[in-house]
Amino acid sequence: EQVRALNPHLFGDQALTTKLAQECVTFANERKLQDACEQWLESQGYVRLTAANAMAAKSPRGWFGHLAQPKGNAFMPDVFVFTKGRPALLVELKVREDYRPGQLAMIERGDWVKATNLSEFKALVVAWEKENI
């Protein structure tokens, strides 16, 4: 704050700077949640869906992935999980109640499920496995 007070021309509008900082923290938290969910899936025998893994994997428990750059691609949630011919589990990860257009509608309709932490994500996967594997 002392540096900010001495150099207001470098930091611009305080409210805007604070808002941008909060958005960065939120994004980082959701990214960390996604990383944790994907690491847990790997620990359970799921394999990240890549061309190299598709050719190398012998008999994975299932597959998972996400669209890294969803702009211009299919409208998808943060994580998808699937296994041989079964319905996919489509999970939207949220660390705060902030939705892009269409996300909440997909969750409310039951086409996607929402997880706000790793425990919820694990429970969703376990319930999906009991129904589909």
Side-chain angles (χ1 to χ4, degrees):
E1 287 302 320
Q2 291 175 355
V3 172
R4 184 183 304 281
L6 294 173
N7 301 284
H9 61 287
L10 296 175
F11 295 97
D13 180 42
Q14 176 67 33
L16 179 59
T17 303
T18 302
K19 181 181 179 199
L20 290 174
Q22 288 172 341
E23 287 176 6
C24 289
V25 167
T26 300
F27 178 77
N29 287 340
E30 191 164 300
R31 179 71 243 174
K32 288 179 184 176
L33 174 58
Q34 183 161 341
D35 289 345
C37 292
E38 291 178 357
Q39 288 171 2
W40 180 79
L41 284 168
E42 287 175 341
S43 76
Q44 301 302 301
Y46 288 87
V47 176
R48 183 180 304 278
L49 184 59
T50 65
N53 287 346
M55 291 184 293
K58 299 298 180 208
S59 57
R61 185 173 191 171
W63 302 91
F64 75 91
H66 72 276
L67 295 177
Q69 296 179 338
K71 201 171 199 173
N73 289 316
F75 181 56
M76 292 288 288
D78 292 314
V79 180
F80 57 86
V81 184
F82 67 95
T83 190
K84 299 178 185 175
R86 305 282 197 254
L89 174 64
L90 303 172
V91 184
E92 181 63 27
L93 302 172
K94 289 292 176 194
V95 295
R96 63 185 171 114
E97 294 294 313
D98 181 27
Y99 298 91
R100 289 180 293 137
Q103 290 179 326
L104 187 57
M106 294 300 285
I107 293 166
E108 289 175 341
R109 196 174 20 252
D111 294 319
W112 297 358
V113 293
K114 178 177 79 169
T116 61
N117 58 53
L118 183 57
S119 295
E120 283 181 8
F121 181 81
K122 290 177 182 180
L124 288 169
V125 172
V126 169
W128 171 79
E129 286 178 335
K130 286 181 182 177
E131 291 177 16
N132 294 293
I133 295 180

